[in-house]
Amino acid sequence: MGTPDPSPSARTVEARKAHHLALALSSRSQSGRDPGWGDVHLVPASLPELSLDEIDLSTTLLGRRLGAPVVLAPMTGGYPDASRINAALGEAAEHLGLAVGVGSQRAALLATELAPTYTAVRDRAPTAPVFANIGACQLVDQPGSPALGRDDIRRVIDMVRADVLTVHLNVVQELLQPEGDRRTNSLARAIAAVVDWSPVPVLVKETGAGMTRESAGLLAAAGVAAIDVGGAGGTSFARIEGARAARAGDDRRAELGRAFADWGLPTAASVLEVRGTGLPVVATGGVRTGLDVAKALAIGAVAVGVGRVAIEAAVHGTEQLVARLEQLLEELRLAMLLTGSRTPADLRRFPPVLTGFTAEWVRQRALG
């Protein structure tokens, strides 16, 4: 049975979601900031005293065992072709033992006929950890749009039979988006309510602006189970919204997009900010190689989120996606061997040397 014809509200959402993905695949969507991995220098082991077949990539995130410390970052859903892409992401996660997220599910709350574009992930990943996803700004009352409630949160989780609920922070995008939700007061209180309502752990994820210890402290106080720093250095939603505005002839918003194109804290510095909370930290934002993964783990992340690398391959199908991810995991194995690290946790035994912007940020912020 095919997907029903979309309602008018669904068509509006579909067009925006499809445009977002097309722009995300463009090089113009990438932040001008460096994520900071070049400032993180792993300490090499000339005598590693182990071999490749002893390397164990497996780890645990929020009570779930992963074959490797990688989350296929929440990316898409809400328009027809997203079903195909999410199916590929689900199949790859299941095959490699990774976690996988879906894009914001608000579209399916507005138009239930769009739900299959999200459920495609769980359909192809029956045992992999799946992360549901909703925006923090939708948790507070907006003009003409009441806040999502307990029943909405349960619908989002049940839709994809989620193991974890992601609440994403995208304040920059909402402020720049013509149809954005711009009331951003009481977000921490709203997130705390979701933590109380949710039957699964809640992870809060930034979407390209990074995170400081002050914000992380508020989230820890709200009771969240983990934080994804979503740092600057990867996809910039300010750039995406600026490009949308320029295409629509909205010069004012296009200029705002240019002004804030590279807003935020790079990913490496964000991990160093947030690791002091004691919560599990996921490092998303500009993670492009297995060596980047190793560096993120060495400075305190327990897993990384892979976005653009995965979506670029996923649009071509599962086989290409799996091949690209296997390459990344092989790079991670080599980095672990070359530092004498048998497990991901072992990468933290010898703190890496920090230079450049990241070292200066750590010094001025007294991050120790």
Side-chain angles (χ1 to χ4, degrees):
M1 181 180 295
T3 302
D5 289 337
S7 66
S9 62
R11 290 191 189 97
T12 300
V13 173
E14 281 183 15
R16 185 167 75 245
K17 295 288 186 181
H19 196 193
H20 276 158
L21 183 64
L23 289 169
L25 289 169
S26 165
S27 60
R28 293 178 298 165
S29 71
Q30 297 304 288
S31 172
R33 301 295 299 274
D34 189 299
W37 308 126
D39 291 341
V40 180
H41 303 272
L42 298 175
V43 178
S46 298
L47 296 171
E49 297 298 318
L50 71 159
S51 58
L52 275 175
D53 59 4
E54 297 176 84
I55 302 296
D56 179 6
L57 297 185
S58 65
T59 193
T60 300
L61 177 62
L62 295 174
R64 294 299 304 269
R65 188 81 168 164
L66 301 180
V70 174
V71 179
L72 302 184
M75 286 176 272
T76 194
Y79 67 101
D81 199 42
S83 297
R84 178 181 63 84
I85 296 170
N86 276 337
L89 292 166
E91 287 175 353
E94 185 74 14
H95 179 73
L96 297 172
L98 310 180
V100 58
V102 298
S104 173
Q105 291 167 259
R106 183 189 187 191
L109 294 179
L110 295 172
T112 57
E113 60 266 39
L114 296 177
T117 69
Y118 300 96
T119 60
V121 168
R122 176 55 85 192
D123 292 344
R124 304 302 180 92
T127 66
V130 171
F131 291 20
N133 187 5
I134 200 68
C137 290
Q138 285 80 64
L139 302 177
V140 298
D141 288 331
Q142 301 290 339
S145 179
L148 299 180
R150 184 192 302 261
D151 290 345
D152 297 309
I153 299 304
R154 289 303 297 259
R155 285 175 60 197
V156 162
I157 294 167
D158 293 345
M159 187 186 303
V160 295
R161 304 197 304 279
D163 303 284
V164 175
L165 172 63
T166 295
V167 176
H168 69 263
L169 299 169
N170 66 331
V171 174
V172 177
Q173 181 182 19
E174 296 286 0
L175 292 174
L176 295 175
Q177 193 176 94
E179 57 274 80
D181 292 324
R182 297 184 181 82
R183 284 186 180 167
T184 57
N185 56 313
S186 305
L187 290 181
R189 185 168 60 199
I191 290 169
V194 170
V195 169
D196 288 340
W197 298 338
S198 176
V200 298
V202 175
L203 174 148
V204 172
K205 169 185 168 55
E206 243 295 352
T207 55
M211 182 136 351
T212 64
R213 60 186 170 191
E214 290 84 3
S215 294
L218 290 173
L219 292 172
V224 307
I227 294 173
D228 185 331
V229 299
T235 299
S236 164
F237 283 94
R239 286 178 178 260
I240 286 174
E241 293 302 337
R244 287 185 67 218
R247 180 174 175 178
D250 187 339
D251 293 339
R252 184 179 68 86
R253 289 198 177 278
E255 183 59 34
L256 286 171
R258 285 188 287 270
F260 289 91
D262 299 324
W263 175 261
L265 182 62
T267 309
S270 293
V271 173
L272 293 162
E273 285 269 355
V274 173
R275 66 182 182 178
T277 63
L279 294 174
V281 177
V282 180
T284 303
V287 176
R288 299 181 177 98
T289 71
L291 187 55
D292 295 341
V293 177
K295 291 178 177 183
L297 300 175
I299 60 174
V302 299
V304 303
V306 176
R308 183 179 171 84
V309 164
I311 201 72
E312 284 181 324
V315 296
H316 300 291
T318 303
E319 184 175 350
Q320 188 161 326
L321 174 58
V322 168
R324 181 65 188 87
L325 292 171
E326 286 178 336
Q327 173 69 27
L328 182 140
L329 296 180
E330 185 62 18
E331 293 163 355
L332 173 58
R333 286 189 188 90
L334 293 183
M336 290 173 61
L337 176 67
L338 293 171
T339 56
S341 305
R342 191 181 69 83
T343 69
D346 287 344
L347 283 161
R348 295 192 286 276
R349 289 187 306 163
F350 303 105
V353 174
L354 303 178
T355 59
F357 170 88
T358 305
E360 183 62 15
W361 185 274
V362 167
R363 185 187 70 79
Q364 292 199 35
R365 291 278 289 165
L367 296 177

